[in-house]
Amino acid sequence: MKMTMKTPLVEIDGDEMTRVLWAAVKETLLEPFVELKTARYDLSVTERDKTCDRVTHEAAAAILKYGVGVKCATITTTEARLKEYGLARLYPSPNATIRAVLDGTVFRSPILLESVKPAVATWTEPVVIARHAYGDVYKAAEMAVAGPGKAELVWTGADGSEKRVTVADMPGGGVLQAMHNLDASIESFARSCFRYALDAKLPLMFAAKDTISKTYDGRFREIFADVYAEYKDRFAAAGITYFYTLIDDAVARVVKGRGGMLWACKNYDGDVMSDMVASASGSLAMMRSVLVSPSGAYEFEAAHGTVQRHYYRYLNGEKPSTNPVALIFAWTGALSKRAELDGLAELAAFARTLEEAVIDTIESGWMTADLQPLSSLKPEKALDSWAFLEKIAERVRTTKR
Ligand code: NAP
Ligand code: MG
């Protein structure tokens, strides 16, 4: 008898190699065990083009409505993709559209293996990164100027009032940049971090540079402190702590630490530090990634892209050895969150069993080509994606639940 579900899970399909693997993961590891109940949105680039991107907005709205989504990697359109797929126009990145609707924070944590040692020898538990996904340098205005002059920052209020500061009296040509953030977005970022830390029972650190950026980074620090006041008692009850520190101190602490903490990063810091943590921990495909909205909606995803190079080999008739672990963990994360919200103990147990089967398969020497050179098990050969999925399925079938 297959397990059943209550509320539909919002399933967001994507592009290229990850789309091929998405179907294979469902067929091999999910559908034989679970009567999947999903609200499916096809965010392949051709479907987005056909619907003038309406489907992306519908998918985001569905996550807000049902509370949990799982997303495959999608192509972000470029001029090259426009030609390749004969698209009518360029579209915004689906991830950016969904993030804007959910107003979320992205949490990324490495999936650790005994047989793949992280580059930082002291890490025994994952370093989890929380990245604020709004504003700063990603929404900045920039300008290059050719000669001497005065640069000013001007704000014009909706009531016509004005604030003005001098940025610099420039003796010669140069470059300028102005960026912003919003109190409301910083507050939801902080709230998402406190909520996630409580869920995962991880101590939380927020780091910025408020000694230099007293107003901008200072505002982030203040808002975190205000929101913490609401969570203080629950943190104490859970035995976890929150503290603020300078970003340079944070880097030193993380590199000397044992992991097992949540590190809240401003947008740019989060971009850089999550890549650092991913590569220091092994492979891009060995990361969990979830977008959490302050209203309590969750979107689980693979942190990597559509693995285009492998897809072209697949189209040529090869069976590539693409690592499906991040896709599988996106599904297990989403299913176990659905199980928690709907009170489905059996489904929660299945998600745990599947995650353990993935880890045990790799720790037994069966893995894809990205892990083979890193593994202390020195396996003679890597499996193609399908053979790897079949090895995992064998384990799931023989595990008593
Ligand atoms: P990518 O798909 O992450 O792949 C870059 C390289 O990383 C691959 O060529 C492969 O290296 C390795 N890799 C990534 N995932 C892997 C996996 N699961 N197993 C084994 N190796 C893996 O990045 P990209 O090639 O720059 O981007 C391709 C498309 O993805 C673009 O259209 C981009 O817009 C999109 N993208 C989407 C998302 C998202 O939706 N979340 C995120 C990033 C990029 P080798 O070739 O050396 O084996
Ligand atoms: Mg990056």
Side-chain angles (χ1 to χ4, degrees), residues 122-145:
T122 52
W123 288 356
T124 53
E125 285 173 61
V127 175
V128 183
I129 301 275
R131 172 183 172 189
H132 185 207
Y134 178 83
D136 297 357
V137 72
Y138 300 86
K139 249 181 160 11
E142 299 191 325
M143 196 195 289
V145 290

Side-chain angles (χ1 to χ4, degrees), residues 63-341:
I63 298 177
L64 276 185
K65 178 177 169 193
Y66 292 114
V68 187
V70 59
K71 182 182 171 290
C72 183
T74 45
I75 288 172
T76 298
T77 54
T78 57
E79 286 299 334
R81 298 301 205 159
L82 190 98
K83 284 204 199 84
E84 183 181 359
Y85 286 90
L87 307 175
R89 61 179 179 92
L90 293 180
Y91 299 96
S93 139
N95 294 324
T97 301
I98 295 171
R99 270 177 214 155
V101 172
L102 297 184
D103 184 18
T105 302
V106 180
F107 295 90
R108 292 203 163 149
S109 66
I111 301 162
L112 299 185
L113 297 165
E114 276 297 314
S115 54
V116 176
K117 289 283 166 248
V120 178
T122 52
W123 288 356
T124 53
E125 285 173 61
V127 175
V128 183
I129 301 275
R131 172 183 172 189
H132 185 207
Y134 178 83
D136 297 357
V137 72
Y138 300 86
K139 249 181 160 11
E142 299 191 325
M143 196 195 289
V145 290
K150 178 174 166 182
E152 291 181 289
L153 198 57
V154 183
W155 173 83
T156 313
D159 63 358
S161 61
E162 194 179 279
K163 271 183 114 165
R164 183 181 288 265
V165 297
T166 299
V167 176
D169 283 310
M170 298 169 69
V175 284
L176 289 158
Q177 182 186 67
M179 60 185 195
H180 82 286
N181 222 299
L182 296 171
D183 290 347
S185 178
I186 302 168
E187 192 180 320
S188 22
F189 168 45
R191 213 173 286 285
S192 296
C193 291
F194 287 109
R195 188 197 277 265
Y196 186 100
L198 263 184
D199 269 6
K201 297 234 178 338
L202 285 175
L204 172 64
M205 165 173 81
F206 172 57
K209 192 74 179 178
D210 70 323
T211 43
I212 302 297
S213 170
K214 292 186 169 56
T215 304
Y216 199 108
D217 283 16
R219 179 63 63 87
F220 276 78
R221 180 183 180 166
E222 274 163 30
I223 291 178
F224 264 76
D226 290 348
V227 176
Y228 178 52
E230 290 168 33
Y231 282 86
K232 209 168 180 167
D233 294 344
R234 278 176 280 171
F235 264 51
I240 54 175
T241 51
Y242 163 70
F243 67 93
Y244 169 84
T245 190
L246 288 171
I247 186 78
D248 16 14
D249 177 51
V251 171
R253 278 172 189 261
V254 167
V255 170
K256 285 194 201 134
R258 45 178 273 282
M261 51 121 61
L262 176 59
W263 179 8
C265 293
K266 289 176 61 201
N267 209 345
Y268 175 80
D269 297 337
D271 185 351
V272 178
M273 296 307 170
S274 65
D275 280 3
M276 187 272 285
V277 168
S279 46
S281 307
S283 157
L284 262 185
M286 297 301 289
M287 287 289 276
R288 297 174 193 266
S289 181
V290 59
L291 173 67
V292 182
S293 88
S295 65
Y298 294 77
E299 184 207 40
F300 295 82
E301 55 163 18
H304 57 74
T306 60
V307 213
Q308 186 182 7
R309 284 209 293 264
H310 295 208
Y311 182 58
Y312 293 154
R313 298 214 299 270
Y314 170 77
L315 291 179
N316 272 329
E318 276 179 52
K319 277 192 150 185
S321 180
T322 314
N323 189 337
V325 170
L327 292 172
I328 300 171
F329 276 63
W331 274 99
T332 52
L335 288 173
S336 65
K337 183 49 84 177
R338 205 52 284 163
E340 179 194 321
L341 296 174

Side-chain angles (χ1 to χ4, degrees), residues 34-46:
V34 183
E35 197 62 63
L36 285 180
K37 188 170 180 180
T38 70
R40 184 172 177 278
Y41 293 83
D42 184 354
L43 261 58
S44 63
V45 73
T46 42

